[in-house]
Amino acid sequence: MYDHDHRRLGRELDLFDTDPLIGAGLPYWLPDGATVRHALEEYVRAAERRAGYRHVYSPVLGKRELYEISGHWSHYGDDMFPPMELGSEQVVLRPSLCPHHALIYRSRSRSHRELPLRMAELGGMYRSEPSGVLGGLTRVRAIQLNDAHIFCAPDQVADEAAGALEMIRRAYAALGLTRARYRLSLPGPGGKYVADPEMWRRSTALLTGVLDRSGLPYEAAEGEAAFYGPKIDVQVTDGAGRESTLSTVQVDFHQPERFDLRYVGADGARHRPVMVHRSIVGSVERAVAHLIEQHGGAFPAWLAPVQLAILPVSEAELPDAEALARRCGDLGLRAEVAGPERGSLGARVRQARLVPYQVVIGAREAASGDVALRLRDGRRLDPLPAADVLARVTALVGACGTGLWDDAVPVGA
Ligand SMILES: [Zn+2]
């Protein structure tokens, strides 16, 4: 195991764990891990709202017929859980969110004026991974997917795919992630893919155009496409050098056909929309695993389970420390008081080494209303009024950046 293995850190930092009685590939999230996950999910939802997506919820189960229509049953059946018998029906845990979203689209008549219609959901899906490959958060059987489907006219596909790539670029900047490469994932030989050469030619040409216009370097890879269409995959590597896909943008002519999706065009006639599938951070499990490994547990401040460790030098400053923690809470910041019962000041500073901000309150600070601030990277700042520190940290956290202090957005901006 290398240094930043997320399975080791996940246990050491109390982020997530597993229990044999729940089962392999079914991790649970402990409070600190759940806090990171919640911050990540809220970032994604806010970015999607700003980009014109509307969120929906849909159930994690569907009838077998749904997946026969979508094509999952015949092309993806090996990765699906066996169906459950319910009276005369069979229901399955869903292997993806697309079919539900296609039905939500189809539930109303749609006009060209509604397009591009951007539908997003952070929702559960399931994959019957063999037990031998399961581990930590990277290979799981229950997946929370950051997913969205853009239903659009064919001439809107390129802009929508480029917009999704831009959202991915911004998210990586906020999360402090580096992509290894862009991959244009194409079909390979074998019966895994929908047999429709003209459809593959059109959708591949569209994605190639998007990559070429954006000037992004990429490599094509055969045998990596979705069964219904090609993908732009954003690849990342873990500390052991293993590559995996985090984000993806896909073009799909297949499911609109299978679900007979339509919209009424400006000409009054009914037209077939295209589905762009896109995920900014992929599955929440894999994204958090990658964040743990990338940062060694020292998350960007806006993601950190505890953002400020408040350290009273002695028992006498405990009331000031607790009052400051309450002010943090009122501002939406996550603060924790580590009092002298937890050891010497030096020991408490070391315990809080992954916390972005360590706020020390001694007798002098308590009297003046100032605080002595230490940053996680080792910098120690001159005493500052507590209100200034909180305003700046609030602005930094709200901006979802990776800087701790100097590269902050100006306070009040
Ligand atoms: Zn999809």
Side-chain angles (χ1 to χ4, degrees):
M1 272 195 202
Y2 51 95
D3 252 19
H4 286 178
D5 187 298
H6 82 277
R7 290 165 296 184
R8 182 179 62 76
L9 283 172
R11 180 177 281 275
E12 273 177 27
L13 304 176
D14 279 337
L15 300 175
F16 66 91
D17 215 335
T18 52
D19 190 300
L21 211 43
I22 300 175
L26 300 168
Y28 56 83
W29 298 70
L30 292 158
D32 278 355
T35 301
V36 175
R37 170 173 166 167
H38 187 261
L40 175 67
E41 292 183 351
E42 266 317 294
Y43 168 86
V44 167
R45 287 202 183 93
E48 288 172 341
R49 280 193 295 272
R50 278 197 305 276
Y53 290 77
R54 302 294 311 277
H55 291 98
V56 296
Y57 285 110
S58 56
V60 298
L61 291 161
K63 281 163 72 172
R64 171 180 168 157
E65 288 89 324
L66 176 60
Y67 302 100
E68 288 174 347
I69 294 172
S70 70
H72 285 86
W73 197 264
S74 53
H75 293 281
Y76 197 75
D78 292 348
D79 292 303
M80 291 169 66
F81 278 86
M84 289 171 264
E85 307 283 343
L86 266 185
S88 60
E89 292 179 349
Q90 286 191 329
V91 292
V92 293
L93 285 165
R94 66 177 170 190
S96 81
L97 281 61
C98 337
H100 284 85
H101 288 191
L103 293 184
I104 295 172
Y105 176 89
R106 201 174 75 173
S107 66
R108 304 280 184 276
S109 74
R110 305 292 182 180
S111 150
H112 65 98
R113 282 184 294 270
E114 290 174 76
L115 307 188
L117 190 153
R118 306 182 186 96
M119 190 185 295
E121 178 172 3
L122 272 152
M125 54 168 274
Y126 298 84
R127 185 174 293 164
S128 67
E129 296 268 22
S131 55
V133 304
L134 298 171
L137 294 177
T138 42
R139 295 295 287 269
V140 293
R141 287 173 167 162
I143 297 161
Q144 189 76 2
L145 190 69
N146 157 228
D147 202 7
H149 297 96
I150 304 162
F151 301 87
C152 61
D155 63 0
Q156 296 172 324
V157 170
D159 281 352
E160 291 303 313
L165 284 176
E166 174 59 14
M167 288 178 84
I168 293 167
R169 191 193 62 75
R170 282 191 206 172
Y172 282 40
L175 294 163
L177 295 182
T178 16
R179 52 158 212 280
R181 62 189 178 110
Y182 292 98
R183 185 178 75 186
L184 178 62
S185 296
L186 303 170
K192 212 174 113 191
Y193 303 98
V194 171
D196 185 344
E198 172 57 16
M199 179 203 87
W200 285 99
R201 195 198 57 73
R202 278 178 78 196
S203 45
T204 302
L206 275 166
L207 286 185
T208 308
V210 168
L211 285 165
D212 289 342
R213 257 195 311 285
S214 58
L216 302 171
Y218 65 92
E219 291 158 42
E222 287 191 359
E224 300 289 350
F227 74 82
Y228 48 76
K231 313 187 280 171
I232 297 172
D233 288 327
V234 185
Q235 302 295 101
V236 294
T237 35
D238 69 13
R242 286 178 302 237
E243 189 178 298
S244 58
T245 301
L246 213 55
S247 319
T248 175
V249 181
Q250 312 171 7
V251 175
D252 179 8
F253 292 97
H254 173 73
Q255 293 190 64
E257 187 85 36
R258 299 288 292 179
F259 286 103
D260 193 24
L261 305 185
R262 302 281 187 174
Y263 65 91
V264 177
D267 57 1
R270 284 151 58 80
H271 299 270
R272 181 87 69 212
V274 184
M275 270 171 90
V276 176
H277 309 236
R278 63 102 274 229
S279 182
I280 304 175
V281 298
S283 86
V284 170
E285 288 80 10
R286 187 176 282 181
V288 171
H290 193 66
L291 284 165
I292 293 169
E293 300 201 347
Q294 176 100 17
H295 299 295
F299 298 102
W302 65 273
L303 274 174
V306 178
Q307 295 164 324
L308 302 101
I310 303 177
L311 311 171
V313 172
S314 74
E315 218 47 68
E317 294 86 35
L318 203 49
D320 293 277
E322 280 162 357
L324 187 63
R326 282 193 296 275
R327 280 169 71 187
C328 290
D330 290 343
L331 291 166
L333 298 171
R334 299 184 286 273
E336 205 175 84
V337 176
E341 76 284 355
R342 295 208 209 168
S344 69
L345 184 62
R348 284 180 277 149
V349 166
R350 277 193 300 281
Q351 283 160 18
R353 71 189 185 286
L354 295 176
V355 177
Y357 305 101
Q358 299 164 7
V359 184
V360 180
I361 305 179
R364 202 178 46 195
E365 287 82 15
S368 66
D370 285 355
V371 295
L373 189 65
R374 296 162 182 249
L375 307 182
R376 180 174 57 198
D377 59 15
R379 278 179 284 171
R380 297 169 68 156
L381 307 181
D382 291 334
L384 288 162
D388 291 2
V389 169
L390 295 194
R392 187 149 188 157
V393 171
T394 304
L396 261 166
V397 164
C400 294
T402 50
L404 281 178
W405 197 253
D406 297 328
D407 34 4
V409 286
V411 172

